[in-house]
Amino acid sequence: MEVYGAKFLVIASGENSEGFIPNLSGLEKFEGEVVHSKYYKSGSKYKSKDVLVVGCGNSGMEIAYDLHNCGANTSIVIRNPIHIFTRDMIRTGMCLVQYFPVYIVDIIITLQAKLKYGDLSTYGIYRPKDGPLYLKNITGKSAVIDFGTIEKIKEGAIKVVPSNIKKIEKKNVIFENNMEKEFDVIVFATGYKSVANGWLKDYHYALNENGFPKNSFPKHWKGDHGLYCAGLARKGLFGVKMDAEAIAKDIEKTLKDYRVVESAKYDGVRNKWIIEAKNTFKGTLEVYGAKFLVIASGENSEGFIPNLSGLEKFEGEVVHSKYYKSGSKYKSKDVLVVGCGNSGMEIAYDLHNCGANTSIVIRNPIHIFTRDMIRTGMCLVQYFPVYIVDIIITLQAKLKYGDLSTYGIYRPKDGPLYLKNITGKSAVIDFGTIEKIKEGAIKVVPSNIKKIEKKNVIFENNMEKEFDVIVFATGYKSVANGWLKDYHYALNENGFPKNSFPKHWKGDHGLYCAGLARKGLFGVKMDAEAIAKDIEKTLKSEN
């Protein structure tokens, strides 16, 4: 038995942690087999048997289809109204909802479903009055994606029972509409329940008696005394993501200037990582030992400012984009923005709007798009190869912005999604900066800085100009090498993975790194999953 102490505890055991089977009269004496969908593997063992599926969500409908295909005599209880769509209809909806209100999209895809399936009430299936996306947002319940079940229901191969179970006698199931039938097997696809209340003795700080959040949405994720819950709001994967982000921010806010790592080094004798952390709240040094250590401090942990000749003697103000708040304090001042990524372009736009005389260094080729173009690309890439999508959205950008080389802005030869996949660098999303550049309100300097003399900035093309402020939107650097004494087990001299992608996340002696591959949020997700699997594999091999 191992005992751990923690300032924070996140309940992330899931709302689907244990299969829920309703308390039906006579079920405990049922003479056939009872199985929950969680443990259902295949219908092959039920060939020629009479099987009843209770539950008409995605699991229930798919199990009914599988049972039929495996030769079972299949019936399914469909008591509540449900939305049924093909996968393509759902994809269409997900694409359209980026541009149109939910109610419009609901009308469109529901009409598609009606045209495909017709009136299903003849077969005991009714549609809800509210639309599918509206219901998803409000209740968290998803529509059913049909893989062939409806066709079998229409053929009569799968029987629909439009009534709940009243009671069970031996192998006889009696329904509330007084229909009764013998079954060999009952499969309950009736959802899940949280079992957190079983192991969490003080669950009342965050959960109700049913194991779900006691606080209402959207503050459901936060309990008392450092207790949080993620993924219990019935909002699907998007809800889990939102909970995780909210919890991380809240913990970070609490820990700010509190849980600070001073050093970490590997003890080869004990085969453990020894971590020293300064508790600034108590003014004490705390020491931890761990078999595994994950570097997740981020590639953006400290602002990077290039080493420019004369910068240390610049007589104006120097600020990194990490600490830039607003351009209001720079009204009427001459400001140079160095860096033409999303941060640099947005800062230049803000400075101009606040009345600063703004210039921006744009030396490297960049892709520039509107947010809608990026959304279009994200939607299309699910159906078409990257190079096709790159051609389409780059053409959109050319039609909107024209030839930007006149203003000192050039496009890369490779497409935006290809570059994102290969280098991790994102295209620039334009919120109005390009219009101001075209108007001449924001000046483009197509050359790097050569040196700085007092307030005078001299560029490599020999242009020079005085500036009051220089804002460096020049990215970030990892500072892990500062506190991680034995960084060489996973990192190089620059604080980034020493191993090449895709094995960059794994070091030696239980040292891992997540989020240092410059692959964005998707890269962080991939790293985290790979690390978790590797740790699990190691622990299993030792047991």
Side-chain angles (χ1 to χ4, degrees):
M1 175 70 74
E2 297 180 359
V3 179
Y4 301 90
K7 182 174 178 64
F8 307 102
L9 179 63
V10 182
I11 309 162
S13 49
E15 59 189 61
N16 296 358
S17 49
E18 185 175 294
F20 170 72
I21 294 179
N23 185 19
L24 298 172
S25 175
L27 179 60
E28 72 282 359
K29 296 180 180 179
F30 178 60
E31 295 181 354
E33 180 182 349
V34 174
V35 61
H36 189 272
S37 57
K38 181 177 181 178
Y39 304 103
Y40 177 91
K41 302 298 182 186
S42 168
S44 56
K45 63 183 287 190
Y46 304 119
K47 184 177 181 180
S48 300
K49 291 189 176 183
D50 293 307
V51 185
L52 176 66
V53 179
V54 181
C56 57
N58 280 295
S59 295
M61 297 292 265
E62 287 179 28
I63 287 171
Y65 186 66
D66 181 63
L67 284 163
H68 164 74
N69 287 343
C70 290
N73 304 314
T74 310
S75 300
I76 182 169
V77 173
I78 301 182
R79 183 68 184 86
N80 299 317
I82 52 173
H83 280 293
I84 299 173
F85 301 97
T86 64
R87 178 174 283 173
D88 285 343
M89 292 175 192
I90 294 294
R91 284 174 172 166
T92 299
M94 292 299 96
C95 183
L96 291 175
V97 82
Q98 300 177 62
Y99 309 102
F100 302 100
V102 164
Y103 78 94
I104 294 292
V105 180
D106 275 344
I107 291 171
I108 293 171
I109 62 175
T110 301
L111 179 59
Q112 281 185 302
K114 286 180 179 178
L115 291 172
K116 177 172 178 61
Y117 296 114
D119 182 9
L120 294 176
S121 63
T122 311
Y123 308 96
I125 303 173
Y126 298 85
R127 291 187 179 90
K129 292 180 180 179
D130 293 315
L133 298 184
Y134 172 82
L135 287 175
K136 176 66 177 176
N137 290 340
I138 299 300
T139 68
K141 292 183 178 179
S142 300
V144 172
I145 299 177
D146 174 43
F147 291 96
T149 315
I150 299 303
E151 181 183 354
K152 298 304 174 185
I153 288 173
K154 286 184 171 183
E155 293 173 358
I158 297 175
K159 304 289 191 299
V160 171
V161 182
S163 180
N164 287 332
I165 296 173
K166 185 177 181 180
K167 60 181 179 179
I168 298 171
E169 295 176 352
K170 295 183 178 180
K171 295 182 75 172
N172 206 38
V173 178
I174 303 165
F175 298 91
E176 290 179 351
N177 63 357
N178 294 322
M179 167 189 163
E180 54 184 278
K181 189 180 187 306
E182 277 196 359
F183 290 98
D184 302 299
V185 184
I186 304 177
V187 180
F188 284 94
T190 41
Y192 297 82
K193 62 180 179 180
S194 169
V195 292
N197 290 16
W199 55 266
L200 187 63
K201 306 308 176 186
D202 292 318
Y203 68 83
H204 58 275
Y205 288 129
L207 306 178
N208 59 26
E209 298 294 330
N210 298 317
F212 288 97
K214 69 173 184 177
N215 297 323
S216 58
F217 184 86
K219 286 293 185 181
H220 58 282
W221 51 270
K222 187 172 183 178
D224 304 317
H225 303 295
L227 185 61
Y228 301 90
C229 51
L232 295 181
R234 297 186 175 97
K235 298 290 183 182
L237 288 175
F238 181 73
V240 176
K241 175 179 178 289
M242 296 297 288
D243 290 351
E245 289 176 349
I247 292 168
K249 287 179 182 177
D250 197 69
I251 291 177
E252 184 181 27
K253 181 180 177 183
T254 305
L255 287 179
K256 193 174 183 182
D257 299 325
Y258 176 78
R259 197 159 165 217
V260 181
V261 175
E262 295 277 300
S263 70
K265 58 184 178 181
Y266 185 69
D267 186 333
V269 177
R270 297 165 61 189
N271 293 325
K272 280 191 173 183
W273 286 91
I274 307 301
I275 302 100
E276 293 183 349
K278 186 178 180 181
N279 187 327
T280 55
F281 182 73
K282 294 181 180 179
T284 58
L285 188 68
E286 299 175 357
V287 180
Y288 302 88
K291 183 175 180 63
F292 306 102
L293 179 62
V294 181
I295 308 162
S297 49
E299 60 189 58
N300 295 356
S301 49
E302 185 175 295
F304 170 73
I305 293 179
N307 185 20
L308 297 172
S309 176
L311 179 61
E312 72 282 359
K313 295 180 180 178
F314 178 60
E315 295 181 355
E317 181 182 349
V318 173
V319 61
H320 189 272
S321 58
K322 181 177 182 179
Y323 303 103
Y324 178 91
K325 301 299 181 185
S326 168
S328 56
K329 64 183 287 192
Y330 303 119
K331 184 177 181 181
S332 301
K333 291 189 176 183
D334 293 307
V335 185
L336 175 66
V337 179
V338 181
C340 56
N342 279 294
S343 295
M345 297 292 263
E346 287 178 30
I347 288 171
Y349 185 65
D350 180 65
L351 284 164
H352 164 73
N353 288 343
C354 290
N357 304 314
T358 310
S359 300
I360 183 170
V361 173
I362 302 181
R363 183 68 184 86
N364 299 317
I366 52 173
H367 280 294
I368 299 172
F369 300 97
T370 64
R371 178 174 284 173
D372 285 342
M373 291 174 193
I374 294 294
R375 284 175 174 167
T376 299
M378 293 300 96
C379 183
L380 291 175
V381 81
Q382 300 177 59
Y383 309 100
F384 301 101
V386 164
Y387 78 94
I388 294 292
V389 180
D390 275 345
I391 290 171
I392 293 171
I393 62 174
T394 301
L395 179 60
Q396 282 185 302
K398 286 180 179 178
L399 291 172
K400 176 171 177 63
Y401 295 115
D403 182 10
L404 293 177
S405 63
T406 309
Y407 308 96
I409 303 173
Y410 298 85
R411 291 186 180 91
K413 292 180 180 179
D414 294 316
L417 298 185
Y418 172 81
L419 287 175
K420 177 66 177 175
N421 290 339
I422 299 300
T423 67
K425 292 183 179 179
S426 300
V428 171
I429 300 176
D430 174 44
F431 291 95
T433 314
I434 299 303
E435 182 184 353
K436 298 304 174 185
I437 288 173
K438 285 184 171 182
E439 292 173 359
I442 296 175
K443 304 289 191 299
V444 171
V445 183
S447 179
N448 287 332
I449 296 173
K450 184 178 182 180
K451 61 181 178 178
I452 298 170
E453 295 176 351
K454 295 183 178 180
K455 294 181 77 172
N456 207 36
V457 178
I458 303 165
F459 298 91
E460 290 179 351
N461 63 356
N462 294 322
M463 167 189 163
E464 55 183 277
K465 188 179 187 306
E466 279 196 0
F467 290 98
D468 303 299
V469 184
I470 303 177
V471 181
F472 285 95
T474 42
Y476 297 81
K477 62 180 179 180
S478 169
V479 293
N481 290 16
W483 55 266
L484 186 63
K485 305 308 177 186
D486 293 317
Y487 67 83
H488 58 274
Y489 288 128
L491 306 178
N492 59 26
E493 297 294 328
N494 298 317
F496 287 97
K498 69 173 185 177
N499 297 324
S500 57
F501 184 86
K503 286 294 184 180
H504 59 282
W505 51 270
K506 187 173 183 177
D508 304 317
H509 301 298
L511 185 61
Y512 301 90
C513 51
L516 295 181
R518 295 186 174 97
K519 298 289 183 182
L521 288 175
F522 181 73
V524 176
K525 174 180 178 290
M526 296 297 288
D527 290 351
E529 290 175 348
I531 292 167
K533 287 178 182 177
D534 196 70
I535 290 175
E536 182 183 31
K537 182 181 177 182
T538 303
L539 292 175
K540 282 183 177 179
S541 65
E542 292 178 351
N543 293 333

